[in-house]
Amino acid sequence: MKNKIAPLSRILMIVSALLLIITLFVPIWRIELDAPQYPEGLMLQIYADKLAGDVDVINGLNHYIGMKTLHTDDFPEFAILPYCIGFFALLFFVSAIAARKGWIYFSFFAFLVFGIVAMVDFWLWEYNYGHNLDPNAAIKVPGMTYQPPLIGFKQLLNFGAFSVPDIGGWLFVIAGLLILVVLLKEGKWFGKKRMQHQASLVAFIVVCCGFVSCGETGPEPIILNKDMCTYCRMAISDGRFGAELITKKGRIYKFDDMSCMLRYDKEHTDGQVRNFYINDYTRDNILINAENAWYIRHDELNTPMRGNMAAFEREEDAVEHAGRLGVATQTWEDITSNNLPNHHHVPAD
């Protein structure tokens, strides 16, 4: 009986098998595209056996930049993948019935290899479509490629591409984690001493991921006289008043005036903003966290689009400038709760 697995482990194996069966009927991955001309965005959904979503519209756009059009029949993976998923669902069922540890180890490592191979194949597919372009395309940008991100956000000309697992993809992840739990449980990895080591390892991984995440959430420098304001379409030329917001998907929008950023946020983002940044008035073109900054508002500031707000990283600087103008300092909450000037579209002289 040493090699027998516990009833709970058998149940988890069966649940994993059922999750894989569900993935045959729901999208596994999705790529979202958004641009000013498509305010509601476009979506490509990838099922186990087909492509779905705004395929025709995306193919029309791809034609102009020389990318191959997307057709389900062009991908042999769609003929193979459903059988692969069915195989692993059956393997998990058999492993639960056999109730042997050897079956668990084989199931987990085979599934892990399958996942790695699938992601490599997906990356190669994206690379091929993004790099092998028609030289006679109507739109050609020297050195430009159009490979979507494997996961996460990437800017492609005026389109933002966001690639992420869909329902089926997350079910795959959950199924794999359940098998991992069974493997660790049956391998006696949940003992007190081993749990301490595992907790230390997990903590280390989480900290590392935290540092990586922090490194990816910072602002992108504004290039003066080249970058355009997303809202008013004016060139950003004054390094004291530029602003920037980053969405939860990682897309970056730049503005020449804080009033432009606040109006754009109100009209377009539906609360999907991860970070706001604003230029420090005392340092040329240095972005700081807008939510922690101090502000003053006065007509003499004469900002590019007459928002007439200046931001300061240090409270002392804000107090000093506020005293010169005879106004009070304000916080992010004060600024965002007040009405914006009606004349913000009129450029400053």
Side-chain angles (χ1 to χ4, degrees), residues 275-320:
N275 297 107
F276 293 93
Y277 295 95
I278 184 75
N279 276 351
D280 188 332
Y281 184 75
T282 63
R283 297 181 289 170
D284 187 50
N285 200 25
I286 299 297
L287 289 164
I288 59 176
N289 189 310
E291 297 180 64
N292 298 330
W294 297 86
Y295 299 88
I296 60 174
R297 175 181 282 176
H298 195 280
D299 288 345
E300 286 188 17
L301 291 171
N302 203 32
T303 64
M305 301 307 287
R306 298 287 176 85
N308 296 335
M309 291 175 281
F312 303 83
E313 185 170 30
R314 302 189 332 140
E315 184 180 8
E316 309 91 273
D317 294 334
V319 170
E320 179 184 345

Side-chain angles (χ1 to χ4, degrees), residues 174-189:
I174 294 171
L177 289 176
L178 290 179
I179 301 299
L180 177 60
V181 168
V182 172
L183 185 146
L184 296 177
K185 179 178 179 298
E186 296 300 327
K188 307 301 182 186
W189 281 81

Side-chain angles (χ1 to χ4, degrees), residues 26-220:
V26 295
I28 296 174
W29 209 271
R30 73 176 185 269
I31 299 176
E32 300 176 9
L33 301 171
D34 65 271
Q37 63 267 43
Y38 294 97
E40 295 184 1
L42 301 172
M43 183 183 294
L44 176 68
Q45 290 183 305
I46 303 173
Y47 285 74
D49 60 348
K50 65 180 179 180
L51 295 172
D54 302 302
V55 180
D56 291 339
V57 178
I58 293 172
N59 279 339
L61 294 170
N62 288 349
H63 172 75
Y64 288 106
I65 59 176
M67 290 181 68
K68 297 177 182 177
T69 53
L70 302 169
H71 304 283
T72 297
D73 294 341
D74 293 337
F75 298 92
E77 292 89 342
F78 289 133
I80 301 171
L81 188 55
Y83 293 102
C84 293
I85 295 173
F87 166 78
F88 280 102
L90 180 61
L91 177 62
F92 293 171
F93 270 123
V94 172
S95 299
I97 295 170
R100 295 284 182 177
K101 292 182 181 180
W103 283 89
I104 303 300
Y105 294 136
F106 175 76
S107 297
F108 174 76
F109 288 108
F111 192 63
L112 179 63
V113 171
F114 169 69
I116 294 173
V117 170
M119 293 305 293
V120 170
D121 180 72
F122 184 36
W123 184 87
L124 291 173
W125 169 80
E126 289 185 320
Y127 182 91
N128 178 52
Y129 269 76
H131 286 76
N132 296 334
L133 307 176
D134 183 353
N136 299 315
I139 300 175
K140 289 184 288 187
V141 180
M144 183 68 188
T145 60
Y146 303 96
Q147 180 181 356
L150 182 65
I151 186 167
F153 179 84
K154 185 177 182 181
Q155 190 71 33
L156 301 171
L157 294 180
N158 66 326
F159 276 87
F162 181 64
S163 177
V164 69
D166 212 317
I167 298 173
W170 292 118
L171 292 180
F172 260 103
V173 173
I174 294 171
L177 289 176
L178 290 179
I179 301 299
L180 177 60
V181 168
V182 172
L183 185 146
L184 296 177
K185 179 178 179 298
E186 296 300 327
K188 307 301 182 186
W189 281 81
F190 291 143
K192 289 185 178 179
K193 290 185 178 180
R194 291 194 176 185
M195 280 297 289
Q196 291 176 354
H197 292 299
Q198 296 309 307
S200 300
L201 178 60
V202 170
F204 175 74
I205 292 173
V206 169
V207 170
C208 291
C209 290
F211 279 118
V212 172
S213 298
C214 290
E216 294 177 347
T217 58
E220 180 180 282

